[in-house]
Amino acid sequence: MKDKISIIIHTPTGKEPKIISFKIKYIKYFSVLVLVFFFLSFFSYLLNVFFVQKYFWLKEKEKKIKTVTKLNNKYKEELTKLRNNLIKLENYLIERGVIKKDKDALGGLSRLKAEELSDEEYLSFLISQSEKLFNQLRITPTGFPVSGEITSTLGWRENPFGSGYEYHTGVDIKAPYGDPVYATAEGIVKYAGWLSDYGKTVIIKHPSGYETLYGHLSKIKVRSGEKVGAGEIIGYVGSTGRSLGPHLHYEVRLGSKFLDPLKFIVWK
């Protein structure tokens, strides 16, 4: 009986006890099966936990990929918009003669840059081009030198001091006496002083090749040879020289040619 285990079951009625015998080898087999069952159950639990975590991880990763893809597409769209806006600005400046069209122009051969460079490198390229355009604008006469009403433009006009006609070389802007006059672009003061019929005058030479003249000033704030920035006060409205009242005579020159200041004051 050594290879068996017996269980004696007593009944409360006083009947003969029941004896149930199990072979030890079967109990061992059963124990092994129980252990295997628990092992498999535990292993299954671990697998479920792993795959559930993996599922949520993949879902989160998929969500992040979609977000990154969306942002990347948006980035490329904005990059294209930036490039197109810069090309429009560049073409406009080329048409106005502010800059020259060359191989480095955004709308020219440089559009191949989009294929040659990564998005980040191309963005840096566009930023450098925008800085070039800005630097060119900074040295090109732009906007009003003083706030006021334009009373006379470039060209032939009746002589306000007598009979006949005379050629007016700029525009007259009526403004209150003493109002500040601003440089319309960065440059070097070429002349600051009294200049014949212009009265007290400032002439600025700009790196772009243009020159601007500000005449009939009441007071000059800058000196010859001084560097001035765009928007810097260079004098004040007056009526010196050949003048009928407070106003600013403003000219834009390129070499010996008088250009229409209106094209620089109001860009259309």
Side-chain angles (χ1 to χ4, degrees):
M1 299 293 291
K2 290 183 179 181
D3 60 341
K4 290 184 180 182
I5 292 178
S6 298
I7 299 175
I8 300 174
I9 301 174
H10 293 277
T11 60
T13 57
K15 291 181 180 181
E16 185 178 349
K18 290 183 179 181
I19 299 174
I20 301 174
S21 298
F22 300 95
K23 288 185 177 182
I24 293 177
K25 66 177 181 178
Y26 292 144
I27 292 175
K28 290 180 178 178
Y29 294 156
F30 179 75
S31 300
V32 171
L33 287 175
V34 170
L35 288 173
V36 170
F37 172 77
F38 279 110
F39 174 77
L40 291 176
S41 297
F42 182 70
F43 183 70
S44 176
Y45 168 76
L46 292 178
L47 283 178
N48 285 333
V49 170
F50 172 77
F51 283 116
V52 167
Q53 290 180 341
K54 189 74 172 177
Y55 171 78
F56 284 111
W57 180 78
L58 288 174
K59 278 290 185 183
E60 187 66 24
K61 188 174 182 179
E62 183 181 0
K63 185 178 178 181
K64 288 181 179 178
I65 290 173
K66 286 182 179 178
T67 302
V68 171
T69 302
K70 186 177 179 181
L71 289 174
N72 190 45
N73 291 336
K74 183 70 176 175
Y75 172 77
K76 287 185 177 181
E77 288 177 8
E78 295 300 322
L79 198 63
T80 301
K81 286 181 183 178
L82 173 61
R83 175 180 176 274
N84 291 338
N85 288 338
L86 287 175
I87 288 176
K88 287 180 182 178
L89 174 60
E90 182 183 73
N91 288 338
Y92 182 78
L93 295 177
I94 290 172
E95 289 174 6
R96 296 299 306 277
V98 175
I99 60 176
K100 294 180 180 181
K101 187 172 183 178
D102 56 29
K103 64 181 180 130
D104 292 325
L106 280 166
L109 296 178
S110 67
R111 70 175 54 189
L112 297 176
K113 294 279 186 182
E115 301 173 2
E116 299 171 358
L117 305 176
S118 67
D119 288 342
E120 291 75 14
E121 290 172 330
Y122 193 59
L123 176 60
S124 297
F125 168 72
L126 291 179
I127 290 174
S128 68
Q129 291 297 100
S130 67
E131 289 173 348
K132 283 173 62 177
L133 291 177
F134 173 73
N135 289 333
Q136 187 62 45
L137 280 172
R138 194 175 60 194
I139 60 176
T140 301
T142 306
F144 278 85
V146 67
S147 179
E149 176 190 356
I150 294 176
T151 56
S152 184
T153 58
L154 178 77
W156 290 99
R157 68 175 184 179
E158 290 186 11
N159 188 344
F161 294 91
S163 60
Y165 288 84
E166 66 175 5
Y167 189 80
H168 193 233
T169 52
V171 295
D172 289 339
I173 305 173
K174 184 179 179 181
Y177 188 94
D179 270 13
V181 175
Y182 303 93
T184 54
E186 181 182 298
I188 302 295
V189 177
K190 180 179 178 180
Y191 181 84
W194 189 278
L195 185 63
S196 186
D197 291 345
Y198 290 110
K200 291 183 179 180
T201 302
V202 171
I203 299 176
I204 300 175
K205 177 72 174 177
H206 306 287
S208 54
Y210 295 102
E211 285 186 5
T212 51
L213 180 146
Y214 312 78
H216 306 308
L217 300 174
S218 62
K219 182 180 178 181
I220 295 172
K221 195 181 175 183
V222 294
R223 294 173 295 179
S224 295
E226 183 179 342
K227 182 178 180 180
V228 294
E232 186 175 331
I233 297 176
I234 49 95
Y236 300 90
V237 173
S239 186
T240 56
R242 188 170 177 262
S243 172
L244 294 175
H247 74 284
L248 175 72
H249 176 81
Y250 176 61
E251 293 181 2
V252 179
R253 303 173 177 177
L254 187 60
S256 60
K257 194 174 181 180
F258 295 99
L259 305 179
D260 185 0
L262 289 180
K263 292 182 178 180
F264 296 84
I265 289 176
V266 182
W267 287 20
K268 296 181 181 179

